[in-house]
Amino acid sequence: MSSDNVVDATRDTLSSYIMTTTRDRDLALVMTAMEVACKNIARAVRKAGIAGLFGLAGTRNKSGDVVKKLDLLSNLFVINALKKSGVCAVLVSEEEPEPLLMEGNEQGRFCVAFDPLDGSSNVDCNVSTGTIFSIFEKKTFQPPSAKDILRPGKEIVAAGYCMYGSATELVVTFRRGVERFCLDPSLVSYNNIILLYKNCYVNTSFISCGIFRENSSTSARRFVYLKMGRQCIRAMRETI
């Protein structure tokens, strides 16, 4: 495939891919909202130095992490986009002390948990950052509550991350494999996140393993041994 194939009129965008594969209009709307938020975050990350967005905001989130200026801005981007989608019931953000419960016309059938900008301390070092999210479907007709999202991972409808680096890439699963999309900045149109690869997977014939020395607990060693096998545990012992 050409690196910039302008004559290919058949390439899927995020929205067209969702509608083709799931036929779920509401899911397409919530993912379009995430797409808009991620585009705004990508722009803010690229212009952080110019816009004076480096540094701390002077607060801590509920998990105790020091909040950066970009954390707050990214949080607003995601919350506002999801609220305006009209298909969300509960929003849970790492930067918010409590779940946000939608009311009235803003209320819908999805519950979304997200970290708006993971690794934000890396921005002023020009290292990759990302947005992480998971989407559940509300199961009751009762008013939204935190219970609607306190559910096992096997009930997730969609989940993924958007990585902001040399390219802006969205990797997402709709419980039908893993798909990889890329933002094409040369397209001025609204829907310019293009499908790159379908059904991505990890090549199990090539195993690499890296664990920080500080996190090399007995339970971590046992997990790696069981999941990765002897080849990986030998490599780990050589580096610890």
Side-chain angles (χ1 to χ4, degrees):
M1 180 187 296
S2 169
S3 61
D4 192 12
N5 191 350
V6 298
V7 300
D8 186 356
T10 64
R11 298 178 74 175
D12 278 321
T13 63
L14 176 62
S15 296
S16 67
Y17 179 80
I18 296 171
M19 291 304 296
T20 301
T21 56
T22 71
R23 306 288 182 182
D24 190 327
R25 175 182 173 275
D26 287 351
L27 183 59
L29 286 174
V30 73
M31 284 304 304
T32 297
M34 285 302 307
E35 174 185 343
V36 172
C38 289
K39 288 178 183 178
N40 284 323
I41 295 171
R43 179 175 179 270
V45 168
R46 287 197 308 270
K47 304 188 72 159
I50 300 171
L53 292 173
F54 288 158
L56 308 179
T59 58
R60 290 180 179 268
N61 59 28
K62 196 169 184 180
S63 61
D65 296 328
V66 177
V67 177
K68 317 298 187 302
K69 294 178 183 178
L70 269 173
D71 287 324
L72 297 181
L73 182 59
S74 301
N75 190 48
L76 290 175
F77 282 144
V78 179
I79 288 174
N80 288 336
L82 291 174
K83 276 186 175 181
K84 291 176 181 178
S85 72
V87 293
C88 295
V90 181
L91 305 180
V92 175
S93 169
E94 187 187 32
E95 306 304 331
E96 297 291 332
E98 300 294 336
L100 303 177
L101 309 179
M102 302 298 101
E103 299 177 352
N105 293 333
E106 293 180 337
Q107 190 178 145
R109 54 183 265 241
F110 290 117
C111 307
V112 186
F114 56 91
D115 182 348
L117 192 63
D118 188 43
S120 54
S121 58
N122 293 331
V123 171
D124 51 358
C125 303
N126 203 26
V127 179
S128 296
T129 56
T131 298
I132 309 168
F133 62 92
S134 60
I135 302 171
F136 294 84
E137 187 171 4
K138 193 171 181 289
K139 293 295 187 182
T140 71
F141 295 99
Q142 301 299 319
S145 71
K147 292 181 181 179
D148 291 318
I149 201 168
L150 295 176
R151 313 240 296 278
K154 65 182 180 181
E155 296 183 14
I156 289 175
V157 174
Y161 65 87
C162 188
M163 181 74 74
Y164 314 112
S166 58
T168 297
E169 291 200 355
L170 176 67
V171 179
V172 62
T173 178
F174 301 102
R175 304 186 68 167
R176 295 175 177 84
V178 178
E179 325 301 342
R180 180 178 166 191
F181 298 82
C182 184
L183 177 65
D184 184 351
S186 68
L187 292 176
V188 184
S189 65
Y190 167 74
N191 202 356
N192 59 342
I193 288 191
I194 307 298
L195 177 65
L196 285 184
Y197 303 106
K198 295 181 180 180
N199 298 320
C200 303
Y201 65 95
V202 176
N203 186 350
T204 55
S205 64
F206 176 78
I207 300 175
S208 61
C209 173
I211 294 182
F212 290 111
R213 186 185 302 270
E214 294 82 359
N215 295 329
S216 56
S217 63
T218 302
S219 58
R221 292 168 189 255
R222 187 179 301 113
F223 174 82
V224 172
Y225 183 83
L226 291 175
K227 293 294 182 182
M228 296 297 191
R230 297 180 183 274
Q231 178 180 350
C232 185
I233 202 68
R234 282 199 301 270
M236 189 181 74
R237 283 171 177 164
E238 290 175 1
T239 58
I240 294 178

